[in-house]
Amino acid sequence: MSKVLTISASPHSFGVDSTQKIMYGVVLALLPALAASIYYFGIGALIVTAAAVISSVGFEYLIQKYVMKVKPSISDGSAMVTGLLLAFNLPTNIPIGLVILGSLISIGVGKLSFGGIGQNPFNPALVGRVFLLISYPVQMTSWPKPIIGRMNYLDAETGATPLAVVKEGLKNGESFSSIDIPSYIDLFFGYLGGCAGEISAFAILIGGIYMLWKKIITWHIPLTVLGSMIFFSGLLYIINPEGFADPVFHLITGGAMLGAFFMATDMVSSPMSVKGQIIFAIGIGFLTIVIRVFGAYPEGVSFAILIMNAFVPLLNTYFKPKRFGEVKKNG
Amino acid sequence: MLKTFPKGGVHPPENKLSAQAAIEVFPIPPQVVIPIAQHIGAPSTILVKRGDMVKTGQIIAKTSGFVSANIHSSVSGKVTKIEDVVDSSGYKRPCVIIDTEGDEWEEGISRDPSLISSIALEPKEIIERVLEKGIVGMGGATFPSHIKLNVPSGKKAEYLIINGVECEPYLTSDHRVMLEQPEQLMVGIQIIMKALGVSKAIIGIENNKPDAIESLNKLAPSYPGVSVEALKVQYPQGGEKQLIKATINREVPSGGLPIDVGAVVHNVGTAIAIYEAVQKNKPLIERVVTVTGKSLAKPSNFLVRIGTPISSLIEAAGGLPEDTGKVINGGPMMGKALSNLDVPVTKGTSGVLIIRDEESGRKEIAPCIRCARCTHVCPMGLEPYLLMTVSKNSIWEKAEKNDIMDCIECGSCSYECPANRPLLDYIRLGKSKVSQIIRSRRQS
């Protein structure tokens, strides 16, 4: 026998999925939201998204090559996902300089300082966003109005988001039903002020369903986040329908949808077991409502996810999957 | 809804290329190499010496402990050598080498193919016969069958579960046996039921073998207590614990045996071997082997004498293809890669799979992205990513605490991992270290 045979341990057959396929699947799933963003915010959405993606991928390449001195891994697509998600969490009239700074923080601090893909405890895009939100509160909370400012970038006409309007109104003692907000149909399709990619619940749902279909994500985190938000906001709404916003309003405004389907489901920074994922997702829904209703900011999804990210190692340690044939200890 | 096991599992491409190839009787080779360690447990004690003439079916090595099995000559002829030869494990192990002369069978073995349905032997005698005829589990694990027929005192067997799942891609030997010897299988099942004293037997078959399900379903009413359960295709359903869960919805406790939940599992090939031993007095000297692969000219199922070189099977199936990269003893999920194709067929050889060059290697390992798919597909509810990390870093206490010994080495985690991480490789390392630690703790 002259043939040299390969020897390796089983299994000898492998699935076809790869990190790359997963990441580009997420990119594909984000396209409807990008399209909605361009439709409602026009040129600003394009500029911010392009700047975030190019600078995120660029920083990953440069830092890996010249600082970490490792083979750059930009082809796995994860930096592109981070760039897209960062852009989707920024207003579309934000100066390019801040976008680039945000990318540097996301990739450099949020991701690579922990060792790169798979190592970061926090969602990198949210690290960048929250850094900008705290450092540049003015630029980060001026929201272009949809449709009318399509051809304007930095000079887009701005207004408050529905969440901010409602929060302000309720604080001033107005009743929820009397506050002037767009119709729920408009809100669902994205006719509202907000971050670039978060406005259209409809477009995000399409991407979310695509990811569920392709098994990039499972239902556990997104549906539990949304369910938890409905539960806790519903509780308040039942107690006092005039003093609190209803659950539907919470779901279709702000970052709820984007957070539930794209940010909380980030594989690296979410728990490994189903039990852990459910607790993680309940926590995100609960904290989001607490921050929105009782906190200083009108929007709390980013903070809620980052806070729950910190609990992930603990959840992984204490909430194991149910073992097959589990024998009760001391039993 | 078809039944299956509820937790984990994967569904690799089935590739049952040889499913329609009827079993062909393979010619008796000019020489056989019979290893005396073909089963789990102690190698048998050799009874013959160089120069001895043996007959087909004559005992040549006898059981040498509680977990061990008799071995019989698969041909008639002259013992020319007793020496250490590389077998399918890749190690040199003692083998009896016999040069074939004719095919003269040991007296008392019936070669009449007609079906004998009435079972004359009593349970004790059945178990003795199974031990005497060297029957071992033919699904691949090669555990001596007589031990599984002896229900330990204090335990009660309620169900006999017959494993016709054949969840490994490519392999079709069990499928063909079910199609071509259904009556022998049914009588074999009745014999095992009698030995165990159980009244219910379930044949579990995955739904990708509708012809086998149909034909056995037709026969089942004539065999009291026997039923057929069609199962959803899901790997590793042929794992004992998964099959018990799928058919009777009971979970074998961690560290326990099927009998702890009242179940005994035997493979279809084993049931037929038991039929032949009990009704025909025939020892286990031949078995059905699938020879398959995408580039192979003629994927086949052969009835082969034990000790036949695997290379001659490949020759008969069209010869080793040009683009061969790897040859596997068994299926693609749990089989072992062979370095030497002249190794003999043994009692546990269910198939020989030839894999193309481009599918033989492994892809570059990427960092874990914590996608949790390994955890989702693990049929034992373990966390492969964690077990790999702790094994890699030699944190054995943590490996043990996280139930590494429950791993059945099905390979679903490595199969599924999008980052091509060698999860099972490290888990095997961890298992061997942890079992050493457990052993030494017991001794002290």
Side-chain angles (χ1 to χ4, degrees), chain B residues 24-290:
Chain B
E24 293 169 59
V25 178
F26 198 77
I28 300 171
Q31 186 186 60
V32 291
V33 177
I34 303 179
I36 58 158
Q38 296 188 31
H39 44 261
I40 287 185
S44 316
T45 315
I46 301 176
L47 300 174
V48 291
K49 56 183 191 304
R50 205 176 140 194
D52 281 1
M53 294 301 291
V54 293
K55 290 178 183 171
T56 308
Q58 181 182 331
I59 186 161
I60 55 171
K62 73 169 182 10
T63 153
S64 66
F66 177 65
V67 183
S68 185
N70 287 343
I71 289 170
H72 303 75
S73 176
S74 57
V75 295
S76 62
K78 190 175 184 180
V79 177
T80 51
K81 268 182 267 177
I82 293 172
E83 64 174 20
D84 289 357
V85 178
V86 175
D87 70 4
S88 59
S89 67
Y91 296 103
K92 275 193 163 182
R93 293 204 279 201
C95 293
V96 176
I97 299 162
I98 303 165
D99 279 359
T100 311
E101 286 172 28
D103 189 26
E104 194 188 331
W105 284 60
E106 178 86 341
E107 264 165 54
I109 301 173
S110 162
R111 299 184 69 195
D112 175 8
S114 62
L115 185 76
I116 304 174
S117 335
S118 67
I119 304 157
L121 299 192
E122 289 306 309
K124 269 218 147 50
E125 298 171 310
I126 292 172
I127 296 169
E128 271 166 32
R129 181 68 68 81
V130 168
L131 164 66
E132 183 193 325
K133 298 300 172 193
I135 314 295
V136 301
M138 290 169 77
T142 64
F143 189 78
S145 299
H146 63 274
I147 301 171
K148 291 208 303 200
L149 296 181
N150 255 319
V151 179
S153 58
K155 308 272 184 194
K156 195 180 157 9
E158 290 171 68
Y159 288 94
L160 167 63
I161 294 165
I162 296 294
N163 190 343
V165 171
E166 204 156 50
C167 60
E168 273 278 3
Y170 289 97
L171 300 188
T172 58
S173 52
D174 289 346
H175 182 191
R176 291 313 304 180
V177 160
M178 287 189 282
L179 276 181
E180 297 183 37
Q181 296 178 285
E183 286 165 318
Q184 287 87 335
L185 172 60
M186 286 297 191
V187 178
I189 291 169
Q190 303 259 279
I191 294 168
I192 304 173
M193 289 168 76
K194 187 170 175 184
L196 291 170
V198 303
S199 56
K200 281 171 282 193
I202 301 169
I203 312 173
I205 308 174
E206 283 190 346
N207 204 33
N208 55 0
K209 297 177 264 298
D211 43 0
I213 294 168
E214 197 193 325
S215 96
L216 291 175
N217 254 331
K218 269 189 200 143
L219 281 179
S222 338
Y223 295 89
V226 182
S227 62
V228 178
E229 185 74 58
L231 302 167
K232 188 181 157 214
V233 180
Q234 180 93 317
Y235 178 87
Q237 194 144 240
E240 209 166 48
K241 293 178 174 181
Q242 277 65 42
L243 182 58
I244 293 169
K245 181 73 182 173
T247 48
I248 60 172
N249 195 25
R250 295 184 187 177
E251 254 178 53
V252 178
S254 168
L257 293 169
I259 194 70
D260 296 333
V261 293
V264 175
V265 183
H266 282 282
N267 172 267
V268 288
T270 317
I272 290 176
I274 289 175
Y275 163 84
E276 291 179 333
V278 172
Q279 308 293 69
K280 307 281 182 176
N281 212 22
K282 185 181 154 194
L284 182 49
I285 56 166
E286 54 187 6
R287 66 157 299 143
V288 178
V289 180
T290 299

Side-chain angles (χ1 to χ4, degrees), chain A residues 3 6-15 17-19 117-118 215 267 272 274 316 320 322-325, chain B residues 7 251 254 322 324-326 328 332-333 335 338 362 368 370 373 380-381 383 385-386 402-403 415 418 428:
Chain A
K3 188 116 199 157
T6 307
I7 302 296
S8 59
S10 65
H12 307 284
S13 175
F14 297 94
D17 241 349
S18 65
T19 304
I117 186 168
K215 298 199 166 73
M267 291 167 171
M272 301 294 278
V274 169
N316 284 340
K320 302 278 182 189
K322 190 187 170 297
R323 309 286 196 226
F324 185 100
Chain B
K7 193 201 295 284
E251 254 178 53
S254 168
E322 267 301 296
T324 301
K326 204 191 247 181
I328 293 164
M333 295 302 287
L338 293 172
R362 287 192 176 176
C368 172
R370 307 179 74 76
R373 289 189 188 185
M380 299 306 291
E383 299 151 287
Y385 78 95
L386 176 67
N402 283 285
D403 307 293
Y415 173 86
R428 279 203 191 97

